[in-house]
Amino acid sequence: MIRLQSTPLNTVKDAQTRLQLAIGVEFGTLPPYLYALYSIRPGTNAAARKNLLAIALQEMIHMCLDCNVLNAIGGNPVIQVQPYPGPLPGDIGPDHTPLSLHLLPFSPDAMQQGMNIEEPEDKPDFPVRETLALAAVPTAVTIGQFYRELDDFLKTLPSTAWTPNRNQISDDQFFAGQIFPIDSYDDAHKAITEIISEGEGTQSGTTHDPLDFQSEVAHFFRFGEIFHDRILTKSNDPQGYAFGPDKFGVDWNGACPAITDPGTHDFSHEPPSAQAAQKACNQAFTNLIDTLQRGVSGTAGALGEAVQAMFALRMAALHAFTVPLADPTKVAGPAFLYQPHPTGGAV
Amino acid sequence: MSVLELPRIYFKGKVSWDPITTNNYNTNYDEDQGETIYPNASDKVKAFREQAINEVTSDGNWNPQGTHRVAFYETAVNGFDLDGAIQTKDPFVSAAVNFQGMLVDLEPFGAFTSQLFFDSMLFGVDGGYRIKLPRTMRFVDRYLNFSRNRVNAMIAGRASVVWQSSFAKSNGLSINAFDSKALQQLDRALQSNDILGLTVRFNSYRTIYYDDPSLTDVPPATRYATAAKAQQTVLNAGGFQPNPARGLVVGVIGLWRAHEPAQEPCDRTLIPAASALGSIWARAKGSKLVLDLSNSVPEVDQDLKKKDLGALEVGTVDPDGTNFTRLASFDYSQYDRQAYEASAGLVTLDIPKGTDLTKDLQVRNSSTQPQFQELALRAIPVEPNIYFNEGDQITASIQVYKRGEPLKAQAPVTLFEMDSSGGVIVNTTLTETDSSGVLLLPLPSAKGQVVAYVPSVNSSDQPTAQNGINPQTCTYQYIRVHPADQDIASLAPTWANVYEKVLANWNAMAPCMDNWLDLKDPGQIKAYAPIIKRLTDPANFEHYRYMPIVRDLSPGQRTLLYKFLDGPVVAESHQTSFADLSRSYRRPLRS
C-alpha cells in the first residue's frame, strides 16, 4: 500500500514542495491505470473499462487541481516522469518498503495494485476485514492523510499568499464542473476535499461511505468491484455495503496477452513492427508531457493540445497492444518513457 | 397524466453543450443533400477547416471543433413528491443524475429540432439507490422559448426549451429502491398495466458561451468579439480546441402512461396570452391541479430572478374566454427562482372537489388579464422528428388530444407544410383524422430534403406567413429525407471516390474525428473497417456513437463506403505511421 512521507509543513515553500509531490503522485498513477485500461480487448469488459477510464480521468483532474493550487501559491508545477517499475514519488510504504508500481495488463494483480494505491486510511471491511498498522509508523501517511495535512497548513496561510488567476486551468473546455481555478484557501480546500473523497470515499463518524462527494463510487471501491467481480451494493449489514451478490461482469480473458513493465524489456530483439509501436507510444507520451507542461504553466490552448496528445497516446497504445512480439503469444503496451528529440520536442 | 402524476422525482444541475456549429450555415453545408460545401482550393478539407475557424470572428461560428457531446454535470436529485407536497428527506435525494448524449439538429440551419442521441441515463449508482434507464428513444426538444431571459443576450442564451424522452419498462428499466420511499413508490406505480415506463422531462436554460456570462451579441458586442478572437487564436495554434456552452437544467422523472406522447408534453396545454411567456402544461385530478411552469416565466436578470407576475389565479372559462370561475391562486413565492429550482417549475394547487374540468383553463393576473389560455385540442406527432431515405414509403401518425386525452372522434385538421426553416408556408391542406383522432400522413420521399409539418386543430396553433412556426403554440413534425445517391453507390470503390464522396465530408466538418481516426488515411480506414461498419449501420442509428454523428449518411454513400471497406486491403505504403500522426497533431492547422 502507499504510505507517503509526512514532512513538516512550516513555510509556503514546504507547501509548494508537497504539492509538487502530490502532482507526481497523481500523475504517477496514470501509467499503471492506463496500461490496464488499454490492454482490455475491444468488445470485452465494458463495465471494467468504464470504471478504469473514470478513475484515470479523475486522476488527471486531481493533477490539474494540484497544479492550480501550486500556481496559486506561487509555485511552478513540473510534470515529472517516473520509471516503472518504481515507487510513487514520496512513497515510503507502511513499513519503510515502498510499493513498487508495475505496468500490468488488465488482471486481478493490476486491480489489487490499484486498490493498494487508493486504499483509505480506514479501509472498510467489505469484503475482508484487515487491520492497518498505521500507528507504528507515524510519519507515513495515506494519500488522503497527506492531503489533509496539506489542507491544514494551507488554511493557516494569509490571503496575501494566494495569487488569483495565476496560470489556472478551468473547466471551460474539458471536465465540466470538475476543474476550477484556485484563487483562495476556500478553493484549495474544496479541491483537496474532492480529491480525497474521489480516491477514498467519505468518512462520516465511524462509518466509511464508499461514495464520494458526488455520490459516485470512489476509486478504491471501483477497483474492488473489478477485483472481486461483484458490484458494490448497498446492504443491511453493519458496514452498509457489500461486494455483490450481482456480478460486475469481468472477463479476465478479455485482456491482451501483454508483458509486464515494457520499460524494462529489451526490444532490440523484437520484430520491427513491435519496435515501431513502442517508439510511437514513447513519442506520443513525450508529446503529452511537453504539451501538458505548457498547459500547467499557463500557455493558452496548450491543454487542448495535451488532450489531443492524450488521444494520440491512446491510439498508439491500442495499436501496440495488437502487435505480436518475437514470442507471438505476447504483446507489449506503452512503456511510458519520456524520450525528447535532441533538437527539442517529442519527435 | 405524465410527469405531472404522482409520484415524481425532481432534479437540477448543469449541462455542457458542445455541438459542432459549422454546419449551421447554408454556405458551408447543403442540408438537403447532406454534403459539405467546400471552398475552391486544392486541399479542400484543409481550406474548409480554415474557413470554419475564420468564421468564428466573421460569422459567429462559435464551435468549429466541437464534439456534439452533451453531458450533465453537478446534477442531482433534489426532491420528490408523493402526495402533492415537495419532500427532500429521502436517501435518494442528492443522488447523481448521469447523462451523456450527442446533440444533433434534424434541420441543421434551424433551432426547432434539436435531439439528444444517447444510450442510457442513470439516476444514482449501480449497487446503490438507482433508476437505470436504457434508452428507448432519443430526447427531443419542443416549445423553444425565445424570450426566457432577454438579459442573457448571447446567441441562444436568451432561450429555454423543454426536452423529453420516455423509457419503456419492458426495455431494461430498473429501480433499486432499498429503503427509499420515493423510489419504492415510483417502483410500485410502475407495476400498473397502464404504465408503459418512465418519462424524463427537463428544461434547459441560461446557456452561456465562451465561459463568460457577461458576453452579449448585441452590437457593439466588443467583449464577444474579443473572446471570439482569442478562441480563433487558440484554434489556429492547433490541438483539440472545443468551446462548449454551458447551461442549467431542472427536470422531473415520472410516469409514462399508455397513449401519452413519449417525446413532448401532451398534458392540458395553456399557451401564453401575454408576451414573453412560455406555455404551461396542466393536470387536474380530484382536488389537485398541477401546473408545469418549467418553461413559462422568464428570468429578468443574470442572477435568474424570475419575473414577478404578481398573484395569479387559475380558473375555468367558457369557450369565448368569459365567465371565469376561480379554482385556485398562487403567488410569486410559488414560482420564484427558489420554488422553480426546488420542483422543476411544477406548482401543485388545491382546487375544489367536484370542479367542472371540462372547460378551458385560464391563468389570470390580479388585474384579471389572461396570462395563459388553454387550447383544448392539440395535434401531436407520435414521432416528432423522422429520418428516412429517398424512395421509402413512410406514413407518419399524428394524434389529436383533447385536454390531454386522446380524442376518440373525427376532427378536422389544417395541415401546413413548411420549408426547412419553419418560416415559410409552402402548402396548406384541409384534412381530417379517423374516428380515433389519428391523422395518417404519407410523407414525401421523392428527393433529399428537410420539411416541417404543422397540424392545426384550432385557430391559435397555426403558423403565420409573417413568423412561421411559433413553438409556443404550434405543434410540428420535421422530416429529413436522405437522398438515395444512387450515382454515388454505382461509383467504383476506389479510395479517391470514397474519400471524395463520403469521408471528406466528415473530415472537413468534424475535426474532432482526428482524435481517433485519420479519415484521409486509407490504411487506418481499412484497419478500422469492422468498427466503422458497426458505427454506420442503420440498425445503430439511435446509438450514442453512431457515425456520422449528424446522421446524414445517404444509402448511396453507405453502399460505396462498404464496398471499399469490404474490398481488398490497401497497400501498406499508404499507411500513415503513428509517428506521422503524432507529428501532425503538433502542427497548427494552417501549416
Side-chain angles (χ1 to χ4, degrees), chain B residues 21 25 54-63 155 210 224 228:
Chain B
T21 48
Y25 302 82
N54 289 337
E55 289 170 349
V56 172
T57 52
S58 67
D59 210 3
N61 185 12
W62 56 272
N63 199 16
I155 313 178
Y210 291 91
Y224 172 24

Side-chain angles (χ1 to χ4, degrees), chain A residues 171-174 176-177 214-216 231-234 280 283 287 301 304-305 307-308 311-312 315-316 319 345-347, chain B residues 73-74 94 96 98 125-127 129 178-179 211 234 238-242 244 246 515-516 528 578-579 582-583 585-586:
Chain A
D171 68 347
D172 59 345
Q173 284 189 292
F174 308 103
Q214 288 184 308
S215 297
E216 303 277 10
I231 294 173
L232 182 68
T233 303
K234 185 174 165 51
Q283 287 171 341
N287 193 29
E305 295 180 50
V307 170
Q308 194 165 52
F311 282 116
M315 291 299 291
H319 174 68
V347 185
Chain B
Y73 64 103
E74 297 176 17
S94 82
N98 289 291
V125 290
D126 289 332
Y129 304 100
F178 298 104
D179 57 342
D211 202 34
V234 165
F240 171 46
Q241 307 294 357
R246 301 282 162 75
N515 291 331
W516 78 277
Y528 282 83
F578 283 102
S582 176
R583 216 174 275 121
Y585 293 152
R586 298 174 60 238

Side-chain angles (χ1 to χ4, degrees), chain A residues 174 287-288 291 302-314, chain B residues 49 65 238-241 511-515 584-587:
Chain A
F174 308 103
N287 193 29
L288 171 64
T291 51
L303 195 64
E305 295 180 50
V307 170
Q308 194 165 52
M310 189 69 226
F311 282 116
L313 172 61
R314 174 179 172 272
Chain B
R49 288 186 177 196
Q65 291 194 9
F240 171 46
Q241 307 294 357
C512 62
M513 289 290 295
D514 287 350
N515 291 331
S584 71
Y585 293 152
R586 298 174 60 238
R587 284 196 298 263

Side-chain angles (χ1 to χ4, degrees), chain B residues 14-340:
Chain B
K14 299 177 181 176
V15 59
S16 172
W17 307 102
D18 190 31
I20 297 170
T21 48
T22 306
N23 71 346
N24 294 162
Y25 302 82
N26 60 13
T27 50
N28 291 340
Y29 185 66
D30 180 337
E31 67 177 3
D32 290 332
Q33 297 304 309
E35 290 178 353
T36 302
I37 300 171
Y38 299 100
N40 190 14
S42 56
D43 186 342
K44 61 183 186 179
V45 168
K46 180 169 177 282
F48 184 88
R49 288 186 177 196
E50 290 175 350
Q51 175 178 286
I53 292 174
N54 289 337
E55 289 170 349
V56 172
T57 52
S58 67
D59 210 3
N61 185 12
W62 56 272
N63 199 16
Q65 291 194 9
T67 59
H68 290 283
R69 291 190 182 198
V70 173
F72 284 2
Y73 64 103
E74 297 176 17
T75 300
V77 171
N78 67 324
F80 60 100
D81 193 338
L82 305 179
D83 55 9
I86 301 169
Q87 300 181 57
T88 57
K89 293 200 183 317
D90 186 274
F92 193 52
V93 172
S94 82
V97 180
N98 289 291
F99 176 80
Q100 184 160 298
M102 292 288 188
L103 174 63
V104 178
D105 292 349
L106 178 141
E107 100 289 27
F109 306 154
F112 289 148
T113 66
S114 293
Q115 309 156 103
L116 300 175
F117 290 90
F118 69 106
D119 291 339
S120 65
M121 190 171 191
L122 180 67
F123 288 64
V125 290
D126 289 332
Y129 304 100
R130 183 196 71 180
I131 306 173
K132 186 176 185 178
L133 300 166
R135 180 242 312 126
T136 301
M137 63 198 72
R138 72 191 87 129
F139 273 96
V140 167
D141 78 341
R142 284 298 187 265
Y143 292 92
L144 182 61
N145 181 352
F146 294 109
S147 302
R148 175 61 177 269
N149 189 340
R150 290 175 173 168
V151 179
N152 192 33
M154 178 69 181
I155 313 178
R158 302 162 174 85
S160 63
V161 76
V162 177
W163 297 88
Q164 185 168 304
S165 181
S166 297
F167 303 82
K169 63 183 181 184
S170 59
N171 192 38
L173 185 161
S174 67
I175 294 177
N176 286 354
F178 298 104
D179 57 342
S180 162
K181 286 190 168 46
L183 289 176
Q184 287 171 352
Q185 289 213 18
L186 192 63
D187 200 20
R188 265 199 298 276
L190 263 179
Q191 307 312 314
S192 166
N193 290 336
D194 193 39
I195 299 298
L196 301 179
L198 295 175
T199 290
V200 174
R201 181 186 298 175
F202 69 89
N203 190 266
S204 61
Y205 62 108
R206 206 239 39 190
T207 307
I208 63 172
Y209 298 81
Y210 291 91
D211 202 34
D212 186 349
S214 73
L215 296 188
T216 171
D217 55 17
V218 177
T222 48
R223 286 175 57 81
Y224 172 24
T226 302
K229 184 67 183 171
Q231 179 65 15
Q232 190 176 60
T233 301
V234 165
L235 287 162
N236 279 324
F240 171 46
Q241 307 294 357
N243 183 29
R246 301 282 162 75
L248 301 176
V249 293
V250 295
V252 56
I253 180 169
L255 301 175
W256 176 27
R257 197 172 281 280
H259 310 301
E260 291 176 359
Q263 291 164 295
E264 62 181 290
C266 84
D267 318 271
R268 300 178 69 151
T269 304
L270 285 70
I271 65 169
S275 64
L277 299 176
S279 290
I280 290 177
W281 301 278
R283 175 179 187 270
K285 188 176 182 186
S287 61
K288 297 289 183 187
L289 172 67
V290 183
L291 301 177
D292 181 347
L293 302 175
S294 62
N295 202 42
S296 309
V297 182
E299 284 88 11
V300 297
D301 60 23
Q302 288 280 12
D303 293 331
L304 304 177
K305 181 183 178 185
K306 285 286 190 181
K307 184 175 183 179
D308 187 351
L309 303 173
L312 297 170
E313 285 193 325
V314 189
T316 57
V317 292
D318 289 341
D320 62 359
T322 62
N323 198 20
F324 182 86
T325 303
R326 180 186 171 283
L327 299 179
S329 62
F330 57 107
D331 61 26
Y332 182 58
S333 68
Q334 290 167 282
Y335 62 88
D336 65 8
R337 178 184 176 180
Q338 185 178 2
Y340 178 78

Side-chain angles (χ1 to χ4, degrees), chain B residues 328-360:
Chain B
S329 62
F330 57 107
D331 61 26
Y332 182 58
S333 68
Q334 290 167 282
Y335 62 88
D336 65 8
R337 178 184 176 180
Q338 185 178 2
Y340 178 78
E341 292 180 353
S343 62
L346 271 59
V347 178
T348 302
L349 303 171
D350 291 321
I351 58 174
K353 286 184 178 172
T355 296
D356 178 6
L357 293 169
T358 62
K359 290 184 167 185
D360 290 344

Side-chain angles (χ1 to χ4, degrees), chain B residues 374-389:
Chain B
E374 181 173 12
L375 292 184
L377 295 178
R378 300 291 278 165
I380 299 179
V382 173
E383 207 176 338
N385 300 336
I386 302 180
Y387 295 81
F388 57 97
N389 298 323

